[in-house]
Amino acid sequence: MNIAADRLPEQLARGLAALYVVVGEEPLAAQEAGDAIRSAARAAGHIERNVYTVQGRYNWQSIFAAGDNLSLFAERRLTEIRIPSGKPGIDGAKALEAYAAKMPADTLTLISLPGLEWKTIQSRWFAALAKSGVVVEARSIDRAALPGWIDRRLTRQDLRADRAALEFLADQVEGNLLAAQQEIDKLALLLPQGPVTLADVEHAVVDVSRLEADALADALYAGDGARFAQIVTDLKDAGEAVPAILWQVTSAVGLLLRLKLAVAQGDSLPAALRTLWGRDKQRAPQIERALKRLGVVKIESALSDLALIDRQAKGLERVGDPWDTLLRVGMTLAEPAGNGKR
């Protein structure tokens, strides 16, 4: 069975299949589909999780051996097979056909593939997977449908954008749903709940495109605490609003956490970095060094502090000053490698 990624929640609500194949070149749709399947698997008791990333010559029997070793008293299992190239090879093709024909008991399998050529989709191994499970197509959103997609996402944040604002946003992010989601997250930070006009959107885009605010991410990735503090001070003295700056920092820290978790779940660091786009792609060397320097615990703690800043800036948290908390986040993330390995 083939379904579009936006139909996946309906399918999961009807009951879990034994096999899901997420295929497509749209990173956000593929990521969210995978996350939804993992969440549903955990809720259904699939606690144990094994991740296999197929690169180069691969011992496919290791996957079968893991499936055969499920004991009588073992927990249900989630098995993830990631094939970044989309080409399992001759041995892999045979292994996948055999795997689809005899799925391991008490196991939910998630296979992740990139966008595939027509010839690959017609192959025996892919046909076997499609016959045995659910193929989730992570498609891109065409321009005509993009305003509606953005509108639905804004509604989840209790924001109601007018048509002009939606069309403006669609023009800015066409062809990149990750960029679209970042814009939506930005607006949720910058604006109060309620109506969103074209002027609101244009003002937000101009605010966060300032060179000084953009440089905060560079300083953060580089671990340059002095530079981070100087930029924050300059922005404060210039009368900038905390929410606009906060989005820039939150975006950078959130990216670090996403990449850290991807590596922890089995992706190689180079493969994780290949998901970067736009300005972040140019920063790949800085981001790589930051990932090696910072641990997951420290990054998650920074995100918690950034949420505190949001509450302080909106008057929902009366203790502390948002500018001081922002400086603390920058100083914490700038600590040497020896202090950030947790």
Side-chain angles (χ1 to χ4, degrees):
M1 176 173 64
N2 287 42
I3 61 172
D6 60 1
R7 299 292 302 278
L8 178 61
E10 300 172 21
Q11 193 284 325
L12 292 173
R14 292 195 298 269
L16 287 177
L19 169 66
Y20 290 90
V21 183
V22 177
V23 56
E25 294 181 347
E26 176 47 61
L28 179 66
Q31 176 184 318
E32 291 183 341
D35 289 345
I37 293 166
R38 293 183 196 100
S39 178
R42 285 193 299 271
H46 294 266
I47 306 302
E48 183 181 347
R49 180 173 175 231
N50 294 317
V51 180
Y52 306 92
T53 300
V54 178
Q55 294 178 322
R57 306 186 75 176
Y58 192 80
N59 178 18
W60 287 87
Q61 292 305 313
S62 62
I63 300 176
F64 288 100
D68 292 339
N69 288 336
L70 193 67
S71 70
L72 180 62
F73 302 103
E75 296 172 325
R76 292 179 179 178
R77 174 180 296 161
L78 170 62
T79 294
E80 292 193 41
I81 305 173
R82 301 174 179 178
I83 312 176
S85 68
K87 298 177 180 179
I90 295 175
D91 291 341
K94 293 178 180 178
L96 288 171
E97 286 184 57
Y99 190 85
K102 187 180 179 182
M103 303 288 294
D106 294 323
T107 298
L108 186 151
T109 302
L110 168 59
I111 298 178
S112 299
L113 297 162
L116 301 177
E117 298 176 351
W118 179 85
K119 185 178 180 180
T120 303
I121 293 175
Q122 299 298 314
S123 65
R124 289 179 56 182
W125 66 267
F126 187 83
L129 295 176
K131 182 179 179 180
S132 297
V134 177
V135 175
V136 183
E137 299 174 350
R139 306 167 182 166
S140 59
I141 305 296
D142 61 36
R143 177 60 181 80
L146 190 53
W149 184 91
I150 294 172
D151 186 39
R152 290 190 294 274
R153 299 255 166 162
L154 286 171
T155 300
R156 297 178 192 174
Q157 305 283 358
D158 293 319
L159 297 172
R160 301 184 302 277
D162 61 30
R163 187 67 188 181
L166 293 173
E167 291 291 343
F168 177 83
L169 280 171
D171 286 339
Q172 303 301 310
V173 301
E174 182 180 1
N176 193 329
L177 293 189
L178 280 172
Q181 186 59 51
Q182 287 199 353
E183 291 295 330
I184 291 165
D185 292 341
K186 178 205 313 177
L187 291 172
L189 278 171
L190 295 176
L191 302 176
Q193 295 176 353
V196 178
T197 66
L198 175 59
D200 292 329
V201 174
E202 289 177 330
H203 181 68
V205 170
V206 171
D207 267 355
V208 297
S209 66
R210 292 177 59 91
L211 177 62
E212 293 88 349
D214 190 58
L216 279 173
D218 292 322
L220 188 151
Y221 292 139
D224 189 340
R227 175 65 175 152
F228 187 94
Q230 184 61 58
I231 296 169
V232 169
T233 300
D234 290 346
L235 290 168
K236 180 181 179 182
D237 292 344
E240 290 293 337
V242 172
I245 303 165
L246 179 62
W247 175 84
Q248 202 79 355
V249 180
T250 301
S251 178
V253 178
L255 174 62
L256 291 177
L257 181 60
R258 177 170 66 82
L259 294 175
K260 269 284 188 183
L261 294 178
V263 172
Q265 292 169 0
D267 283 353
S268 66
L269 181 55
L273 290 172
R274 282 197 293 273
T275 66
L276 298 176
W277 57 273
R279 182 78 170 91
D280 287 331
K281 188 172 184 179
Q282 299 172 17
R283 291 172 168 143
Q286 293 173 278
I287 293 173
E288 181 175 5
R289 289 192 290 271
L291 290 169
K292 293 178 179 178
R293 177 171 55 84
L294 297 168
V296 171
V297 172
K298 181 169 286 188
I299 296 172
E300 289 179 334
S301 177
L303 279 176
S304 177
D305 283 338
L306 291 170
L308 171 62
I309 295 170
D310 182 48
R311 296 195 300 274
Q312 290 173 334
K314 293 177 178 178
L316 302 176
E317 177 66 57
R318 298 188 179 184
V319 178
D321 179 84
W323 291 102
D324 292 341
T325 309
L326 182 60
L327 281 173
R328 185 178 77 229
V329 170
M331 296 303 100
T332 300
L333 292 176
E335 289 180 359
N339 295 328
K341 289 301 182 182
R342 290 184 301 159

